Amino acid sequence: MIKDLITRNRSYRRFYQGFSIERETLRELVDLARLSASAANLQPLRYILSCDPQRNALIFPHLAWARYLKGWSGPGDGEEPSAYIVILGDTEVTRSFGCDHGIAAQSILLGATERGLGGCMIGSIKRQKLRRALEIPTRYKILLVLALGKPRETVVIDTASPAGDIQYWRDSKGVHHVPKRPLDDIIIG
Ligand SMILES: Cc1cc2nc3c(=O)[nH]c(=O)nc-3n(C[C@H](O)[C@H](O)[C@H](O)COP(=O)(O)O)c2cc1C
């Protein structure tokens, strides 16, 4: 079951924008992050939730999508995410967040997948602009944004070629292909 869930948990970047996600759903997803591992159990992560169109519109312009898809600048009108979870690090707890936010993000996205939702971790963020838009105090470092919604695209996993081309791509039918390196190539000892 965990392999099935992880396989279905792909990065989705096109959504049914009209689909609503309740704030309570986002709270339940953050609760999965709350229960996850944290270095020294410091639990320095904080979260901002957004699920209404007005707040979503403050976040969307400050995110960069799918750098390998040249000529596609991100979700179009009607394809934008229904919700976001902004993951912050509280610098008054620690200045080093290690991989806590990656673990939290994966827990949240697995929970979203289990519910029939999908999303994408976004690390390419215009941080100063997002900080201003959401009025995020400087004590919080902006670590990741999770975009969430009802996926409107098909994403498949391919086996990366021996040459090791790992760039994802979209075929003529709009299916998004994600090459993954073979198991024997990544276990080196
Ligand atoms: C830390 C991190 C940051 C990422 N940042 C972005 C981003 O800024 N924009 C984007 O479109 N995808 C982003 N991604 C998604 C990756 O592109 C995606 O995980 C990769 O293409 C593999 O696809 P998969 O998640 O379906 O396995 C990020 C993923 C991770 C783990």
Side-chain angles (χ1 to χ4, degrees), residues 6-13 63-68 72 101-102 105-106 109 119-125 143-145 155-157 166-168 176-180:
I6 289 173
T7 303
R8 286 192 285 123
N9 176 32
R10 303 272 50 85
S11 291
Y12 292 99
R13 299 180 178 85
L63 309 178
W65 300 84
R67 64 151 73 168
Y68 294 144
W72 187 74
H101 44 298
Q106 182 74 350
L109 289 175
C120 189
M121 296 183 206
I122 306 281
S124 185
I125 305 162
L143 298 171
L144 273 178
V145 174
V155 179
V156 296
I157 292 176
I166 44 63
Q167 296 201 8
Y168 48 77
H176 183 96
H177 293 256
V178 185
K180 295 289 184 190

Side-chain angles (χ1 to χ4, degrees), residues 2 5-6 12 15 19 27 42 54 64 77 95 102 107 109 116 121 130 136 148 153 155 157 159 162-164 178 187:
I2 188 67
L5 193 61
I6 289 173
Y12 292 99
F15 305 93
F19 182 88
R27 284 177 55 85
L42 286 175
Q54 291 73 25
D77 209 17
R95 299 202 77 82
S107 293
L109 289 175
M121 296 183 206
L130 183 65
I136 300 171
L148 293 161
E153 65 179 345
V155 179
I157 292 176
T159 301
V178 185
I187 299 175

Side-chain angles (χ1 to χ4, degrees), residues 7 32 37 55 57-58 66 75 79 91 98 108-109 128-130 173:
T7 303
L32 302 177
R55 202 171 211 202
L58 295 176
E79 296 179 333
T91 61
I108 289 170
L109 289 175
Q128 279 313 322
K129 290 184 173 169
L130 183 65
K173 292 189 174 136

Side-chain angles (χ1 to χ4, degrees), residues 42-158:
L42 286 175
Q43 304 167 68
L45 303 183
R46 302 292 180 263
Y47 302 86
I48 292 176
L49 312 182
S50 176
C51 55
D52 67 79
Q54 291 73 25
R55 202 171 211 202
N56 288 351
L58 295 176
I59 299 172
F60 179 74
H62 308 307
L63 309 178
W65 300 84
R67 64 151 73 168
Y68 294 144
L69 299 184
K70 305 296 176 210
W72 187 74
S73 56
D77 209 17
E79 296 179 333
E80 293 179 20
S82 304
Y84 298 92
I85 296 175
V86 182
I87 306 183
L88 307 171
D90 186 346
T91 61
E92 292 190 5
V93 177
T94 179
R95 299 202 77 82
S96 162
F97 302 100
C99 52
D100 276 28
H101 44 298
I103 294 168
Q106 182 74 350
S107 293
I108 289 170
L109 289 175
L110 286 173
T113 301
E114 190 186 41
R115 290 162 180 265
L117 302 173
C120 189
M121 296 183 206
I122 306 281
S124 185
I125 305 162
K126 292 175 197 149
R127 285 178 166 74
Q128 279 313 322
K129 290 184 173 169
L130 183 65
R131 184 180 294 285
R132 258 182 264 127
L134 295 182
E135 299 178 18
I136 300 171
T138 50
R139 89 179 246 196
Y140 300 108
K141 188 171 175 190
I142 299 172
L143 298 171
L144 273 178
V145 174
L146 305 183
L148 293 161
K150 192 81 172 167
R152 192 179 189 158
E153 65 179 345
T154 303
V155 179
V156 296
I157 292 176
D158 298 336

